[in-house]
Amino acid sequence: MSTPTPSSSNVMEQIVSLCKRRGFVYQASEIYGGLRGFWDYGPLGVLLKNNIRDWWWRNMVECPPIGPDGSIVDMVGLDSSIIQHPKTWDASGHTATFADPMRKCVKCGHILRADHYWDILATQSKWFAELMTATENGAKTDVDTLARWVKNKARKSAPNLAAVAQPTITPPETADVKAIVHALADNNEPCILCGGALGSPEQFNLMMVSYAGLQQTKENLVYLRPETAQGIFLNYRNVLDTTRVKVPFGVAQVGKSFRNEVTPRNFIFRSREFEQMEMEFFCPPEDALKWYDFWKHERMKWWLSLGIKPENLIFRDHAQDELSHYSKATVDIEYKYPFTAPEFGELEGIAHRGAFDLTQHQSHSGAKLDYFDQDLQLRLKAEGVADDEVKKRSRYTPNVIEPASGLTRAVLVLLCEAYSVEPRAGVEKFEFFKFKPKFAPIKAGIFPLVNKDGMPEVAEKLYMDLRQSFACEYDPKPAIGKRYARMDEIGAPFCVTVDGESLKDQTVTIRDRDSMSQQRVAIDKVKSFINEKLDE
Ligand code: ATP
C-alpha cells in the first residue's frame, strides 16, 4: 500500500460527521467518552444495514444464483450461537494462530498493529500530520524545513522522536515520506503518539474472552466468536440430517463477530464488534475449483448490484505465500475506500478451504463428518469406472468454498459510494448521500406544501398508505426547500408534495433527488411509481 497522506482522510472525516449529524452511526458509549472500536447504528444506519443484509439473504438463501451447469443451488440459512464450545476454536486453529503482530512504544506504552504501521501513521498521528503540513505533503523536504519543524512543532507533539532528542538531521538522499520519517527517528518506525521507539513485533491473539458459568475459572472460559463460519461447520451434520439438502449445498448466516483488533480504525472499517455475512458451500472435492470460480464471480456481481461503480471494485488474488496452509486459492474483493485511495482495501474474501474445517472438527469432536455421495456413485458406475475407484471417490469429506464478507464494512462502502458534494439548496458544497433507491434508508418524504387548506389531511393519508410498503417520513413543517434539503442529505430518493392542485385533480409532485426534476403523478399511482424505482 502506498503511504496515504493526511489529506486523504478529509473526505472520511466529512462522511463520519454527516453520519453522526443525521443519525447513521454514533460512537458507542459516547456519553462516557466512547469505547474504542465500538459503534452504534442510529435510526438511519440500522435501516441501511438491514437493507443490505436483507438483499444478501434474498440473493444467497431465498433466491441463490443458478449454478454453473444451470442447476438449482441448494442453500439454507442458520443462526448459530455467538458462544460455542471452546474446543471449537482449538479445532479451527483460532486459539493457536488467530493473532496479529503488535508493537508497543517503550516510552508511552501505546500499542499498534505492526503490519499496518504506515497506514496508521498517516491516518492517526498528530505529529505526522504536522510534519506533512510543514513539508507541504512531502514536497518540501530540505534540511531547513525539517530542522524548523523538529525545533518547533515536533518538540511538543513528538517529544520522544530521535531527532528531537538529538537535533542533528541528515536528510535522506531520495526523500520520500518513509525515508524522512526513518531519518528523523534514527532508522526506526517511531510511535505514532510520542515519536518514541517501538519494541519488536509480538503476536497478539484477537479472540475476546468471557466466562460462561458462575465462576471465572479456566474451565468456564469461553470465546466470543471471531467469525460466524465455525457455527456453520458445527451444524453441517445437523443440516444434512434434518433437511433435504445434498452435497453440493450451502449454509449461510449473518451475525455479530468480535475481534480484539490491535488498532481499530477508519471509522467502522475495522472495529472490535462487527457483523459478517458468511456462506459455507460444501461440495465434492473434484468440483471444488469449479464452485470457487462460480462464487468468485457471483459475489462480484452481487456487489455491483448495490450500485457500486465497477471502477471502485477489484479482485485481488492472494499470493501463494499469503494463503492459509489449507487454502488452495483465495481471492479478495476490494473497494477503493477514501482512506486507501488510489489503492483498495478488503471487503470480502472468497476462499477455497479444502476439507480443512470438517476434518479438524471430525478429529477434535469424534463426530463423523464425511459424506457418502450416492449420486456420484451412480454416475461413476454408469461411466464404467472400476468398483474400487467408485468406492474411493464417492465417500469423501466435502470441500468448502467460503465467501465471507463484512456487513458493517458493506455499510461503510455504501456510505462512501453514496457520499456526494454538489452546489444545491443555496449551499456551495452541499453534502448528501446518493444511495441507490433500493438501499436508501428512507425511500420518500411526504409533505403538504402548506400545513393548511386540506393539504395535511391528503398528505397524511398518502403517508399512512405508502409506509405499508416502504420506509418513508411525513414532514408538515414549513419551508419546502428545507424539507427537500433534509431528505437529500439522508439520501431519500423521492419527495412527494401535496399542493393546491392535488385537491382539485388528485395528483402530487414527485421530486427526484439526483436530477431535482419534478413530475406530476396521480395520487393512486405514487406507490407503484416508487416501487418500480426500488426494483431497478
Ligand atoms: P482484514 O484483513 O481486513 O483483517 P480478514 O481477512 O481478517 O480481514 P476475514 O476473516 O476474511 O477478514 O473476514 C471476512 C470479512 O469480515 C472481511 O472481508 C471484512 O469485510 C469483515 N471484517 C473482518 N474483520 C473486521 C473488523 N475488525 N471490522 C469490520 N469488519 C471486519
Side-chain angles (χ1 to χ4, degrees), residues 98 100 113 116 226-227 259 261 268-276 278 318 332 337 346-349 402 404-409:
F98 192 57
D100 279 336
R113 189 158 154 189
H116 292 171
E227 60 176 31
R259 295 184 187 179
E261 295 283 357
I268 53 176
F269 177 81
R270 187 172 302 287
S271 33
R272 289 181 166 145
E273 175 177 339
F274 55 99
E275 277 178 77
Q276 291 186 304
E278 298 195 293
H318 282 213
D332 285 346
Y337 299 92
E346 180 171 338
L347 173 56
E348 165 156 356
E402 175 195 74
S405 59
L407 171 57
T408 41
R409 223 173 253 191

Side-chain angles (χ1 to χ4, degrees), residues 80-95:
S80 70
S81 184
I82 285 175
I83 292 176
Q84 299 284 356
H85 196 291
K87 279 188 185 166
T88 305
W89 311 107
D90 292 336
S92 66
H94 281 84
T95 34

